[in-house]
């Protein structure tokens, strides 16, 4: 199922992957250099509904309009509340997140929107080769339970580069993985195994009833 949502930044397109007996909903935005076809987003959309978590992949207005480059962070943030509100119509706890730039949007906005938690996939801690341009404050200040899933070889920040996280936050490493969670052919784990680690981390993080 797809749905067009009008936002101040233009029309967004939501892609729904429903659970038969949903206990929560995970709303995910994509990065600045790609779309909802990203392998980690697709892996989560394929696997989580069986665990009772519906997934909504949010295709951002700039992509829906056919543009290749993402706008400034303020424009990304402006378009997100309407997408969150549409997901929240399901009446379920909504966990907000995304990969890379989408993770940054969720970190900046989720507390004000009433999200149950934040999922940061491949959080861009800094531009490649520019560790002095750190964006750790966005991640540290979510004010919500936050899961970071980070590739061990991410040029935008490896797990070892992250500062100490508050007790509300959890950091899971995908060994040898790049910013897109790709692993080299010589790595001791396969590409499928790397994505399985992403899915397992998210599945374990979202609370189950009575858990």
């Amino acid at each position: 199922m797809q749905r067009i949502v009008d936002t101040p930044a233009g029309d967004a397109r939501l892609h729904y992957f429903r659970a038969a007996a949903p206990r929560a909903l995970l709303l995910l935005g994509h990065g600045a250099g790609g779309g909802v076809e990203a392998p980690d987003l697709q892996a989560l959309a394929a696997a989580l509904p069986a665990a009772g978590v519906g997934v909504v992949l949010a295709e951002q207005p700039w992509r829906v309009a056919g543009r290749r480059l993402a706008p400034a962070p303020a424009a990304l943030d402006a378009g997100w509340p309407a997408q969150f509100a549409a997901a929240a119509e399901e009446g379920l706890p909504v966990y907000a997140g995304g990969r890379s730039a989408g993770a940054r949007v969720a970190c900046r906005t989720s507390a004000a929107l009433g999200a149950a938690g934040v999922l940061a996939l491949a959080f861009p801690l800094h531009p490649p080769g520019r560790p002095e341009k750190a964006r750790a404050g966005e991640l540290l200040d979510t004010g919500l339970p936050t899961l970071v899933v980070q590739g061990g070889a991410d040029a935008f920040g490896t797990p070892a580069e992250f500062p100490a996280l508050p007790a509300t936050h959890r950091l899971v490493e995908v060994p040898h993985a790049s910013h897109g969670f790709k692993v080299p052919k010589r790595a001791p784990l396969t590409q499928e195994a790397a994505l399985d680690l992403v899915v397992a981390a998210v599945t374990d993080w979202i609370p189950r009833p009575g858990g």
Side-chain angles (χ1 to χ4, degrees):
M1 171 187 168
Q2 297 182 12
R3 175 183 177 184
I4 296 296
V5 176
D6 180 31
T7 87
D11 285 347
R13 182 181 292 117
L14 302 185
H15 302 254
Y16 286 78
F17 300 80
R18 298 189 182 278
R23 57 187 169 88
L25 197 67
L26 179 61
L27 172 67
L28 295 172
H30 54 74
V36 297
E37 70 278 3
D40 52 338
L41 300 182
Q42 288 293 321
L44 290 167
L48 263 61
V53 180
V55 176
V56 180
L57 300 184
E59 188 176 353
Q60 297 306 297
W62 60 276
R63 287 279 293 193
V64 174
R67 295 191 293 273
R68 293 187 177 183
L69 297 177
L76 295 176
D77 290 1
W80 191 243
Q83 298 170 67
F84 185 93
E89 290 176 5
E90 303 285 310
L92 297 166
V94 178
Y95 291 81
R99 65 165 290 102
S100 196
R104 294 184 66 194
V105 173
C107 286
R108 292 190 296 257
T109 62
S110 289
L113 293 174
V118 177
L119 171 61
L121 301 166
F123 184 84
L125 188 64
H126 56 70
R130 301 290 301 278
E132 74 279 4
K133 299 286 187 180
R135 303 163 178 144
E138 294 178 353
L139 183 66
L140 297 174
D141 295 340
T142 63
L144 294 169
T146 300
L147 173 65
V148 185
V149 185
Q150 200 77 6
D154 193 330
F156 288 79
T158 65
E161 295 178 72
F162 279 72
L165 299 177
T168 52
H169 289 41
R170 183 188 307 175
L171 174 61
V172 174
E173 178 176 351
V174 181
H176 312 286
S178 69
H179 191 60
F181 294 117
K182 292 182 180 179
V183 295
K185 290 183 179 179
R186 65 181 183 276
L189 77 167
T190 65
Q191 187 61 64
E192 182 180 3
L195 291 175
D196 285 346
L197 285 175
V198 176
V199 170
V202 177
T203 303
D204 291 345
W205 173 68
I206 297 176
R208 297 178 181 273

